[in-house]
């Protein structure tokens, strides 16, 4: 399986993703030709070799005609200097949040204030694309490939959804600031084109570094992550504090949220090739994004694992003041919120009271919804969260027909070996009721009917 993996130990931004994907193997000339199909002018995309802390990679540079905001800054306490390029500042995109009105907005780049009038671009010309409706129409009407078009729309749609939640307006009312600028459109659509060009079978990602400290934006001084980023990474594995700067931008977070098939914490693999995207800042730690081709490899001479593995979370709480009816309702709500499994176990609590241990299993995407359901529909004032690894056998479902009608049968496999099959309970119970026979006899009748039909053993 051809797996593409994002390693975001220093966060991610749109231009870093673009540089890393081209460094990994996406053709820059084909990328530019595809971007021309957007039908907009006044931009230039280059890829410059650069390094951070001795690590070499590609720095994506989007130049916009008439813009002259190439500024060198001091970067924090270490006194290192970095260039603030005319494209997306990879770790200061807190200013690139959508707002319901395209008003003038002040934001701070490490002590340097910049005024941007977001009804216009930086050259003083009328800004052509800054609302979600305009960007959506631009991409939909373009000639880029269907796969890239869908991915770009998915990325922008997630940003619009997050901003609508931040500002309490509908998505169609959202008017992006810098995310709607031409350079950011090039970053997002370019990343979508690169992923479509590389065609991975699967995309994975590890824990995402969000950074630390504060950002100054239209909403005032806020802690990292900024509001849009916080919503975009909801349900994803993240960490903070590795850097005292904003390290993951809304664009970078949206690219991951729209593209990653699975977030993993550990893996066995063979590294085939690595692409490095260089960030703008020069810091004491390497400011780079690594994207790699991997071949999954569970171990020497083992081949693929004969079972599936998942990193999940087990939520548990002890309750002694809910009725059986209320617990049953809680179980329904937990399943509705996305629980993979819910169980109740009896226990004895303090003061010798009989109680119930409520356990719910879920993946990272549904964890926030499970937390809400547990607090809202149980009488628990707290619960435990335990990271667990679930191993499960591959299952296949098929429909079989006979004199008993159509029923569903599930078969489980250990690797390629069939272990056992079972008729769904609902179908067995239906046949048992219709014929007035025990449940196990109904299952034998179904199996015998299939054997006689095709002459084969299960």
């Amino acid at each position: 399986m051809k797996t593409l993996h994002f390693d975001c130990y220093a966060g991610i931004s749109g231009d870093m993703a673009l540089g890393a994907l081209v460094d990994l193997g996406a053709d820059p000339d084909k990328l530019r030709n595809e971007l021309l199909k957007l039908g907009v002018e006044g931009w230039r995309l280059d890829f410059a070799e650069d390094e951070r802390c001795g690590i070499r990679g590609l720095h994506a540079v989007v130049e916009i005609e008439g813009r002259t905001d190439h500024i060198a800054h001091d970067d924090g306490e270490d006194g290192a200097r970095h260039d603030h390029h005319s494209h997306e500042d990879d770790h200061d995109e807190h200013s690139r949040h959508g707002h319901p009105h395209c008003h003038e907005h002040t934001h701070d780049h490490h002590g340097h204030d910049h005024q941007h009038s977001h009804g216009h671009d930086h050259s003083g010309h009328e800004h052509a694309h800054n609302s979600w409706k305009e960007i959506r129409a631009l991409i939909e009407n373009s000639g880029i490939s269907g796969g890239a078009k869908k991915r770009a729309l998915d990325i922008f749609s997630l940003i619009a959804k997050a901003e609508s939640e931040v500002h309490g307006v509908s998505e169609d009312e959202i008017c992006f600031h810098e995310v709607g600028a031409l350079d950011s459109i090039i970053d997002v659509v370019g990343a979508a084109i690169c992923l479509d060009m590389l065609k991975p079978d699967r995309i994975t990602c590890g824990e995402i570094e969000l950074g630390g400290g504060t950002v100054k934006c239209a909403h005032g001084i806020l802690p990292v992550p900024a509001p849009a980023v916080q919503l975009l990474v909801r349900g994803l594995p993240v960490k903070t504090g590795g850097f005292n700067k904003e390290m993951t931008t809304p664009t970078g977070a949206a690219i991951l949220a729209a593209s990653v098939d699975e977030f993993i914490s550990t893996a066995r693999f063979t590294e085939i090739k690595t692409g490095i995207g260089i960030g703008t800042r020069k810091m004491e730690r390497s400011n780079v994004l690594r994207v790699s081709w991997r071949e999954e490899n569970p171990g020497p001479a083992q081949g693929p694992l004969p079972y599936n593995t998942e990193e999940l979370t087990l939520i548990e709480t002890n309750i002694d003041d809910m009725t059986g009816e209320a617990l049953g309702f809680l179980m329904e709500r937990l399943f509705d919120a996305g629980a993979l499994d819910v169980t109740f176990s009896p226990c004895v609590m303090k003061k010798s009271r009989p109680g119930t241990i409520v356990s719910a299993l879920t993946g990272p995407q549904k964890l926030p919804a499970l937390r809400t359901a547990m607090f809202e529909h149980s009488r628990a004032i707290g619960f435990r969260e335990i990271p667990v690894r679930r191993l499960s056998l591959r299952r296949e479902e098929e429909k079989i027909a006979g004199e008993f009608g159509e029923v569903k049968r599930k078969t489980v496999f250990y690797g390629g070996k069939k272990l056992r099959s079972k008729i769904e309970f609902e179908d067995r119970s239906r046949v048992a009721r219709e014929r007035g026979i025990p449940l196990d006899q109904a299952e034998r009748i179904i199996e015998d009917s299939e054997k006689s039909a095709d002459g084969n053993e299960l």
Side-chain angles (χ1 to χ4, degrees), residues 61-192:
V61 181
V62 182
E63 295 181 358
I64 304 301
E65 184 178 327
R67 184 181 296 178
T68 58
D69 59 348
H70 185 94
I71 303 170
H73 305 284
D74 282 330
D75 185 38
E77 297 174 353
D78 59 3
R81 300 184 64 83
H82 71 281
D83 291 330
H84 174 59
H85 292 278
S86 60
H87 68 295
E88 171 184 330
D89 181 355
D90 53 305
H91 291 145
D92 284 293
E93 199 185 309
H94 54 271
S95 64
R96 300 166 186 263
H97 297 170
H99 294 271
H101 304 288
C102 294
H103 57 80
E104 190 170 285
H105 166 74
T106 302
H107 54 94
D108 177 66
H109 292 277
H110 304 304
H112 296 267
D113 290 334
H114 303 278
Q115 298 282 343
H116 295 296
S117 176
H118 294 288
H120 300 74
D121 66 18
H122 295 288
S123 63
H125 301 297
E126 188 69 22
H127 203 310
H129 311 289
N130 54 13
S131 75
W132 169 220
K133 292 173 66 175
E134 289 171 322
I135 292 173
R136 183 170 57 210
L138 174 70
I139 297 171
E140 287 176 343
N141 296 330
S142 73
I144 64 176
S145 67
K149 185 178 296 187
K150 180 183 183 303
R151 197 181 295 274
L153 288 170
D154 287 345
I155 294 168
F156 271 117
S157 177
L158 288 176
I159 298 173
K161 183 177 180 181
E163 293 297 349
S164 76
E165 190 170 340
V166 169
H167 299 289
V169 299
S170 70
E171 292 177 27
D172 280 342
E173 292 181 76
I174 288 297
C175 184
F176 295 119
H177 284 170
E178 296 296 330
V179 171
L182 180 55
D183 47 4
S184 290
I185 293 173
I186 295 298
D187 284 341
V188 171
V189 179

Side-chain angles (χ1 to χ4, degrees), residues 310 312-313 334-335 337-342 360-363 366 370 390:
E310 300 169 274
L312 304 175
T313 299
L334 291 172
F335 275 122
L340 299 170
D341 195 15
V342 180
L361 189 67
T362 188
K366 301 295 183 179
L370 261 292
R390 182 172 74 166

Side-chain angles (χ1 to χ4, degrees), residues 140-359:
E140 287 176 343
N141 296 330
S142 73
I144 64 176
S145 67
K149 185 178 296 187
K150 180 183 183 303
R151 197 181 295 274
L153 288 170
D154 287 345
I155 294 168
F156 271 117
S157 177
L158 288 176
I159 298 173
K161 183 177 180 181
E163 293 297 349
S164 76
E165 190 170 340
V166 169
H167 299 289
V169 299
S170 70
E171 292 177 27
D172 280 342
E173 292 181 76
I174 288 297
C175 184
F176 295 119
H177 284 170
E178 296 296 330
V179 171
L182 180 55
D183 47 4
S184 290
I185 293 173
I186 295 298
D187 284 341
V188 171
V189 179
I193 291 169
C194 287
L195 288 170
D196 188 60
M197 195 185 303
L198 294 171
K199 299 190 184 309
D201 297 320
R202 181 169 173 258
I203 299 177
T204 61
C205 183
E207 203 170 38
I208 308 165
E209 173 64 57
L210 302 183
T214 59
V215 292
K216 182 180 179 182
C217 58
H219 316 293
I221 297 176
L222 299 173
V224 170
V229 174
Q230 188 171 31
L231 291 174
L232 285 163
V233 300
R234 185 164 51 189
L236 308 184
V238 300
K239 62 180 178 178
T240 59
F243 297 77
N244 192 32
K245 305 287 182 183
E246 183 183 48
M247 302 305 291
T248 293
T249 68
T251 298
I255 289 172
L256 295 179
S259 306
V260 173
D261 297 306
E262 184 181 2
F263 288 86
I264 59 176
S265 58
T266 59
R268 290 193 180 101
F269 58 91
T270 300
E271 188 86 357
I272 306 301
K273 185 179 180 182
T274 300
I276 302 293
I278 297 293
T280 299
R281 285 203 187 97
K282 293 181 179 179
M283 311 172 71
E284 289 184 350
R285 298 180 63 185
S286 57
N287 180 19
V288 302
L289 170 70
R290 295 191 299 201
V291 180
S292 60
W293 283 123
R294 292 180 169 184
E295 193 71 40
E296 294 182 6
N297 181 20
Q302 289 183 18
L305 287 171
Y307 45 80
N308 303 317
T309 62
E310 300 169 274
E311 303 298 326
L312 304 175
T313 299
L314 181 66
I315 295 178
E316 283 193 345
T317 188
N318 301 345
I319 297 175
D320 64 0
D321 57 351
M322 289 181 67
T323 66
E325 289 178 336
L327 285 169
F329 184 76
L330 171 62
M331 179 178 284
E332 291 179 9
R333 298 286 72 78
L334 291 172
F335 275 122
D336 288 344
L340 299 170
D341 195 15
V342 180
T343 60
F344 295 157
S345 305
C347 66
V348 178
M349 298 175 61
K350 61 184 178 182
K351 299 183 181 179
S352 300
R353 292 174 181 170
T356 302
I357 302 173
V358 178
S359 303

Side-chain angles (χ1 to χ4, degrees), residues 30-81:
K30 289 182 180 179
L31 170 61
R32 294 185 188 94
N33 289 335
E34 283 294 302
L35 286 169
L36 288 173
K37 297 178 182 178
L38 285 172
V40 294
E41 299 177 347
W43 59 271
R44 177 179 174 179
L45 173 61
D46 290 314
F47 295 91
E49 292 244 359
D50 206 341
E51 61 84 23
R52 294 291 180 267
C53 297
I55 300 176
R56 168 248 153 246
L58 285 186
H59 190 181
V61 181
V62 182
E63 295 181 358
I64 304 301
E65 184 178 327
R67 184 181 296 178
T68 58
D69 59 348
H70 185 94
I71 303 170
H73 305 284
D74 282 330
D75 185 38
E77 297 174 353
D78 59 3
R81 300 184 64 83

Side-chain angles (χ1 to χ4, degrees), residues 408 422-433 439 442-443 446:
K408 293 180 181 178
K422 191 173 185 179
I423 307 299
E424 288 282 14
F425 169 76
E426 288 78 7
D427 293 320
R428 286 182 286 140
S429 60
R430 173 181 59 79
V431 174
R433 285 194 299 269
L439 197 63
E443 184 167 15
I446 295 171

